[in-house]
Amino acid sequence: MSNSILSFNTVRTEIHGISVAELAEKFGTPCYVYDLETIQARVADLHAFDTIRYAQKALSNVAILDRLRRLGVVVDAVSAGEIGRALHAGFSPLSEPAGVVYTADVFDRASLDLVVSLNIPVNVGSPDMIDQLGERAPGRNIAIRINPGFGHGHSQKTNTGGPQSKHGVWHTQLDECLRRADLYGLVVNSLHMHIGSGTDLEHLSQVCGAMEQAAIQVGRTITTISAGGGLPIPYRPDQQYVDLDKYFQLWDDTRNRLQDRFGHPIKVEVEPGRYVVAESGYLIAEIRAVKQI
């Protein structure tokens, strides 16, 4: 896996060979323009993972979702609105892997109705969600997002693990979640961990260790582990991409140990958001006046 070169231009007169002035003339200002080639390159970076599940909250433009679907990417939805966008873009919850998965820490009424009626897989982030889903749709497979008790991101606001984060089931509550799932015949076949956006390999290796222990605790029903997202992108010339080969190797080693233990294949998902789209978008605006005070 390799990353394409990022340039930090102070002045840009074209986007993918098309004049910015021509785009402004044709579409007016302000307007957003996306470079599909950049998105394709980012998806290709992640080809070693079994499943690329795009976190569409990063950019839920239906046209972009449609292009990602054509590239073999599936999506994550965090609301009823995002479920609707995914379906409109052609994703099916019944495909393999599921074209759309609902991931959240709570069910609002509309989202619960949708996941039940359309058989959309759910990645639960709280014990109560297990009861609410189990009462309406017993016997299904579910995923559990686990907060491993620590987090790390490029800022406190992007930390999605540890005691300051609302996301995921607290790691010591996993047994309770399994008991609740048993009451409704729900089978935990997937686990998900994501500790923050912009983290590094050292902390990601800790996530792999926590994931392995959680999977062992759940047992042989596990068929998928999700590495979550948070892959960093450079915002300044002195910043770099994460080494994706080493990143994948951490998860592949974890997967292999679990496969040896359980005696069946384990798939590894990755859930990028901004990594896929952040460098593809441009806002074209027009200066209408210069005012000096």
Side-chain angles (χ1 to χ4, degrees):
M1 291 182 280
S2 63
N3 299 109
S4 56
I5 297 174
L6 175 72
S7 61
F8 292 82
N9 295 328
T10 54
V11 177
R12 177 176 287 276
T13 59
E14 53 83 24
I15 299 172
H16 198 62
I18 302 174
S19 164
V20 169
E22 289 179 15
L23 290 167
E25 170 117 18
K26 183 174 182 179
F27 298 105
T29 60
C31 72
Y32 286 100
V33 178
Y34 299 99
D35 183 351
L36 182 60
E37 190 172 88
T38 299
I39 293 174
Q40 291 171 330
R42 291 292 165 265
V43 170
D45 289 342
L46 302 170
H47 72 275
F49 288 89
D50 298 304
T51 304
I52 303 172
R53 185 169 299 282
Y54 171 61
Q56 63 170 303
K57 57 183 166 287
L59 173 62
S60 57
N61 181 302
V62 174
I64 299 298
L65 295 179
D66 174 63
R67 299 311 194 278
L68 287 169
R69 178 181 57 80
R70 299 183 199 186
L71 292 172
V73 175
V74 291
V75 296
D76 161 88
V78 300
S79 66
E82 286 194 0
I83 290 174
R85 284 177 174 268
L87 297 175
H88 188 67
F91 290 98
S92 169
L94 304 180
S95 64
E96 179 54 46
V100 54
V101 166
Y102 180 75
T103 299
D105 295 289
V106 66
F107 278 125
D108 59 78
R109 289 184 177 86
S111 296
L112 182 55
D113 288 343
L114 281 172
V115 301
V116 170
S117 62
L118 300 177
N119 201 19
I120 295 171
V122 178
N123 182 18
V124 304
S126 63
D128 283 349
M129 289 180 72
I130 297 174
D131 294 330
Q132 291 162 1
L133 181 65
E135 289 171 357
R136 296 275 302 274
R140 291 190 182 180
N141 293 333
I142 61 169
I144 297 179
R145 176 173 179 171
I146 298 175
N147 183 331
F150 60 90
H152 185 261
H154 57 73
S155 74
Q156 186 62 31
K157 291 182 179 180
T158 63
N159 239 342
T160 55
Q164 82 291 331
S165 174
K166 68 177 183 178
H167 296 295
V169 170
W170 191 249
H171 59 102
T172 60
Q173 292 181 301
L174 182 53
D175 273 341
E176 176 191 345
C177 289
L178 296 176
R179 287 193 294 270
R180 292 192 188 203
D182 284 344
L183 289 175
Y184 305 101
L186 299 174
V187 178
V188 179
N189 69 343
S190 178
L191 293 177
H192 170 242
M193 282 188 189
H194 170 50
I195 63 166
S197 296
T199 190
D200 54 45
L201 286 174
E202 179 183 352
H203 289 87
L204 288 169
S205 67
Q206 295 175 26
V207 176
C208 289
M211 173 65 84
E212 185 172 351
Q213 291 306 307
I216 291 170
Q217 189 173 346
V218 174
R220 296 187 67 258
T221 58
I222 294 296
T223 58
T224 302
I225 54 175
S226 173
L231 291 170
I233 59 168
Y235 287 89
R236 298 188 300 271
D238 61 332
Q239 294 179 324
Q240 296 181 341
Y241 297 96
V242 69
D243 187 324
L244 287 177
D245 290 319
K246 291 181 179 178
Y247 175 66
F248 173 74
Q249 191 63 54
L250 287 170
W251 284 103
D252 194 38
D253 289 345
T254 303
R255 175 245 301 276
N256 288 333
R257 287 191 295 271
L258 290 173
Q259 287 183 155
D260 291 343
R261 187 181 190 95
F262 295 152
H264 62 245
I266 303 288
K267 292 184 177 180
V268 181
E269 279 196 5
V270 66
E271 194 181 274
R274 66 185 177 132
Y275 182 82
V276 172
V277 296
E279 297 165 279
S280 71
Y282 302 86
L283 171 62
I284 299 178
E286 184 179 0
I287 297 172
R288 299 294 298 166
V290 177
K291 185 175 177 180
Q292 295 182 352
I293 298 177

